[in-house]
Amino acid sequence: MTNAAARPGRGRRPAEEVRTRVLAATSTLLFDEGLRSVTFDRVANVSGSSKTTLYKWWPTPGALAADAYFASSRERLEFPDSGDIRRDIRSQLRAFVRLLTDGRAGSVIAELIGAAQSDPALSEALSAGYTMPRRRLAIDAIERARGRGQLREDADPDLLVDQLWGACYNRLLVPDNSLSEAYADALVDNALRGAATGAYQRQQSW
């Protein structure tokens, strides 16, 4: 038996396994120590990967940090589809607020947004991997609600997303007032009073 055969665990790991290990290591650094801790040197050391691999997949440490944040938050931000737009938006916006206010996730996304202003690669990663996909899910939900007759035909999905999720980001980044689930509920009701059809409004207890 050769040495190589005796050590089946050695050798080149599948790319997806390497990527998963890198993202897990990056997430740990990001949430434990903040964005400044995410350097290719430290991530390579913690994950057991080479810096060459990191440079091949991510243009900057910021883009890598963004990917790690997306991977850790994806399941918590699923958008429900119960058939009732008020219930679904309230559920998703509450989950979003909990993500921003429980633990380190809020401060991490605030760091990423701030750093994206001077890191084009991070800005692109933030948009492509996180904010635009989240926006698309919300827009799709709003368009389905229009098709069900719950929202007016002239209700602008992009503006509703800005009113709801944008307001939460504002309170995160400009902390003059607290961010809470009660605030999220108030945002939803305020927005839908203007966007809902008369028939749907009569079904609600505001």
Side-chain angles (χ1 to χ4, degrees), residues 6 15 47 60 69 76 82 104 113 118 144 157 186 191 196:
S47 67
T60 66
Y69 181 84
R76 297 182 63 180
S82 71
R104 288 267 300 155
I113 291 171
S118 57
R144 288 194 299 270

Side-chain angles (χ1 to χ4, degrees), residues 44-134:
N45 183 57
V46 173
S47 67
S49 301
S50 70
K51 286 201 299 181
T52 300
T53 296
L54 303 185
Y55 278 110
K56 180 175 69 175
W57 287 343
W58 294 279
T60 66
L64 169 56
D67 266 0
Y69 181 84
F70 312 151
S72 69
S73 64
R74 185 176 296 112
E75 289 185 4
R76 297 182 63 180
L77 294 177
E78 294 295 329
F79 210 111
D81 184 11
S82 71
D84 185 298
I85 190 61
R86 184 185 181 208
R87 180 186 302 123
D88 291 343
I89 291 182
R90 284 180 65 162
S91 176
Q92 209 287 331
L93 206 62
R94 285 178 176 182
F96 181 58
V97 167
R98 286 194 298 271
L99 177 69
L100 296 183
T101 56
D102 292 348
R104 288 267 300 155
S107 60
V108 168
I109 191 61
E111 280 191 278
L112 290 171
I113 291 171
Q117 310 312 305
S118 57
D119 182 342
L122 171 54
S123 179
E124 181 179 351
L126 192 64
S127 177
Y130 182 70
T131 56
M132 285 305 295
R134 301 268 78 77

Side-chain angles (χ1 to χ4, degrees), residues 10 13-14 27 29 36 52 55 58 106 160 163 179-180 194 196:
R10 300 291 294 275
R13 292 174 290 172
S27 181
L29 289 170
R36 289 184 179 181
T52 300
Y55 278 110
W58 294 279
L160 283 173
Q163 285 178 283
L179 181 58
S180 67

Side-chain angles (χ1 to χ4, degrees), residues 35 91 178 189:
L35 183 58
S91 176
S178 63
D189 288 350

